[in-house]
Amino acid sequence: MKVKSNIAVSDNGFVFNPGSGESFTVNPVGLEMLNLLRKGMETNEIAAAISGQFEVESLQAERDLLEFSEMLRQYRLLESEDE
Amino acid sequence: MNKPTLTIAVTGLNAIDSPGPGVAVIRGLREANAFDCRIIGLSYESLEPGIYMHDLVDKTYQIPYPSVGTDVLLARLQHIHEQESLDVIIPNFDAELFSFIKLEAVLLTMGIHTFLPVLEQFEERHKVNLNSFGKKYDLFVPESKSIYVANEAGLLENDYGWPMVVKGKYYDASLAYNMDQVKAAFNKISAKWGLPIIIQKFIHGTEYNVTGLGDGQGNTIAAVPMRKQYITDKGKAWGGISIDDQEALELTKRFVRSTKWRGAFELELMKDKSGKYFLLEINPRMPAWIYLSVGVGQNIPEALVKLAMGWPVAAFESYIVGKMFVRYAWDMIVDLSEFEKISTTGEL
């Protein structure tokens, strides 16, 4: 699971896909997940980081991450998807 | 450096809910680096807003509708040329292009430059010919058929399914979900733009547009892809954003290279769920959103004038991605005397 390299993400959580012209907003948790995914971190590493930062169980963080990743896939923000 | 001053006549000064490109073209010309310009507006009706935009348009003349023929148009242009010494004319309506293409050589002998598609290009990209155009140049186009009687659309039901797109030969398109809607759209559009009506298979997907400029030798001088963000009920972009879509740019370059397209154009593209691009329409002129090209670093109106004048033009190599245009309507206050003058004398 790799976020497309050309996706622009602002500090405010504004996400822009220059390939499609679509834009999105993410909340602080989503922003953190997105940034960690962009760094190439693994699912368990991201879940641990989110768990520590946002006071949530690691298992819950992992579930949220999977759900979030599915949204990224649907919105064609992941590398494997056809543009 | 002293810049030359060109006198440039521009049509398409209307700015209704389906706006003409003229005002946007003029804004680009006003920002040109290579020349200063005096702008002569060419209008068809007295309420085209560009006529009253005196900061953009120096003088306006009414010209006859294309339906009256090229002789009458030429006579009017000769009169205007005697008053204004035109250097360039930029026609911006599909419906008038045929006349201007026909007059191109005569205008040049008068010292008036244009940079238009050649007649063959203009004709073969026509909506009614789009199927054969796609085959000839290896471009995906949705299946379509020209019809003269609304009931003919019923024969396409099995092949095309619903909805179908009902299109006028110059402008207007609407989606029809059943035969009643086909008939209503057929009658409405044919009353305005005549026959045939084009029935096109509907492609589900996301619409993208590319505006660009070909030098007539197969080279792409400019190309800017845009995604519509806000679309009016007439399908017009009221907001859009420049995007980085290499596939759309490649398709555009292939289109220009294979057709040796001469002049400005707008490609209307639909990308389906599998990522395949379909060419829906080729507009042989600049679009109403052409000022976005200026905003992202490719002043297409300026480059077109330079090509028309025979000046060297380097191809643009980049543009800013993620720039938006947001259109708005603006009420001007106009003295009745101005309306009276353009209505009675045909000049303002």
Side-chain angles (χ1 to χ4, degrees), chain B residues 8 39 43 83 124 168 182 199 241 264 267 284-285 308 326:
Chain B
I8 304 171
I39 297 294
S43 68
Q83 315 301 313
E124 72 178 359
V182 168
I199 302 293
I241 188 164
L267 303 183
R285 47 153 178 86
V326 181

Side-chain angles (χ1 to χ4, degrees), chain B residues 46 339-347:
Chain B
S46 301
F339 179 66
E340 178 193 335
K341 191 155 184 272
I342 187 77
S343 301
T344 55
T345 67
E347 296 181 18

Side-chain angles (χ1 to χ4, degrees), chain A residues 6 16-23 76 82-83, chain B residues 206 208 227 241 243-245 271 274-275 321-322:
Chain A
N6 61 348
F16 175 59
N17 180 352
S20 69
E22 291 172 309
S23 54
R76 291 179 290 180
D82 282 328
E83 251 302 301
Chain B
T206 308
Y208 294 89
R227 177 199 166 103
I241 188 164
I243 58 169
D244 175 18
D245 190 321
K271 191 180 197 177
S274 69
V321 173

Side-chain angles (χ1 to χ4, degrees), chain B residues 1-8 26 28-39 58 87-88 302 305-306 309 311:
Chain B
M1 189 181 82
N2 278 340
K3 292 196 279 187
T5 299
L6 299 176
T7 302
I8 304 171
I26 293 166
L29 297 175
R30 291 284 186 202
E31 293 179 26
N33 290 318
F35 52 81
D36 290 322
C37 54
R38 175 173 157 75
I39 297 294
D58 295 294
D87 294 300
V88 177
E302 177 184 11
V305 165
K306 287 160 75 177
M309 294 300 293
W311 298 347

